[in-house]
């Protein structure tokens, strides 16, 4: 298949599928829809390997939980906010790497760390009292990023490329 066909099918899929999610997300009470695009970006950086989708999903969900836990911990700590932030990031970052190294077939460490950063970015500014359903919304958007914008988009694109390849044969 030509580079032009690969580029154009990717452009069409990116132009079509993520905007469908962007429009649908608010109707599903998901205010964190853009998280899907960030998560899909990590999947793409990993080479769009569908075989890794489960461990990437688990990593993102652990990161989301890790962010919720970090916001809660910083809320109850009695220290200076800078010390709380440093201590929380130091301990939890190290633990995330260690825990993910114990189960690399099931947990993709970069997804855990990225998911944690995403969750902190969204949840931390309002503090724990304002978290509400944000962890669930973030989790939904993360899974949409991996499975819809990542895996499904690539299935659609590969079928388009296969169709075009059949049409080119003499």
């Amino acid at each position: 298949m030509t580079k032009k066909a690969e580029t154009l099918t990717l452009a069409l899929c990116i132009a079509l599928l993520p905007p469908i999610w962007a429009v649908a997300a608010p109707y599903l009470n998901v205010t964190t829809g853009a998280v899907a695009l960030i998560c899909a970006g990590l999947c793409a950086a990993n080479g769009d390997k569908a075989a890794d989708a489960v461990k990437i999903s688990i990593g993102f969900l652990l990161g989301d939980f890790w962010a919720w836990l970090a916001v809660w911990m910083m809320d109850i700590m009695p220290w200076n906010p800078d010390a709380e932030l440093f201590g929380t990031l130091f301990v939890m970052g190290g633990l995330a790497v260690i825990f993910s190294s114990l189960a690399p077939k099931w947990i993709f460490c970069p997804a855990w760390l990225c998911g944690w950063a995403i969750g902190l970015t969204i949840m931390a500014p309002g503090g724990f009292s304002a978290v509400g359903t944000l962890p669930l919304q973030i989790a939904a958007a993360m899974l949409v990023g991996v499975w819809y914008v990542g895996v499904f988009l690539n299935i659609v694109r590969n079928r388009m490329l296969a169709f075009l390849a059949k049409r080119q044969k003499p």
Side-chain angles (χ1 to χ4, degrees):
M1 188 55 46
T2 68
K3 187 71 170 168
K4 182 179 177 181
E6 290 177 8
T7 300
L8 291 176
T9 55
L10 179 60
L12 178 61
C13 288
I14 293 292
L16 178 64
L17 297 176
I20 292 171
W21 165 248
V23 170
Y27 291 101
L28 300 170
N29 293 319
V30 175
T31 62
T32 59
V35 167
L37 302 178
I38 298 167
C39 295
L42 182 72
C43 292
N46 188 50
D48 282 323
K49 298 179 213 158
D52 287 348
V54 170
K55 70 181 190 176
I56 290 172
S57 296
I58 292 170
F60 279 134
L61 295 176
L62 286 169
D64 187 31
F65 169 73
W66 224 230
W68 175 87
L69 186 61
V71 171
W72 176 74
M73 287 175 51
M74 289 185 289
D75 191 58
I76 64 169
M77 287 182 196
W79 308 329
N80 172 291
D82 292 336
E84 292 173 4
L85 178 63
F86 180 83
T88 302
L89 295 178
F90 179 87
V91 171
M92 293 183 79
L95 288 174
V97 171
I98 291 168
F99 292 158
S100 63
S101 75
L102 298 174
K105 288 185 178 186
W106 293 103
I107 303 169
F108 189 57
C109 183
W112 188 337
L113 298 174
C114 183
W116 184 32
I118 291 166
L120 283 174
T121 300
I122 296 169
M123 289 187 254
F128 190 73
S129 63
V131 166
T133 63
L134 284 174
L136 298 175
Q137 293 178 54
I138 293 166
M142 287 174 166
L143 294 175
V144 166
V146 174
W147 294 99
Y148 173 70
V149 182
V151 174
F152 180 72
L153 183 143
N154 282 309
I155 290 169
V156 170
R157 180 173 176 247
N158 288 337
R159 289 195 177 161
M160 290 170 67
L161 288 170
F163 174 79
L164 293 174
K166 285 181 185 177
R167 306 269 303 161
Q168 283 184 334
K169 291 185 180 179

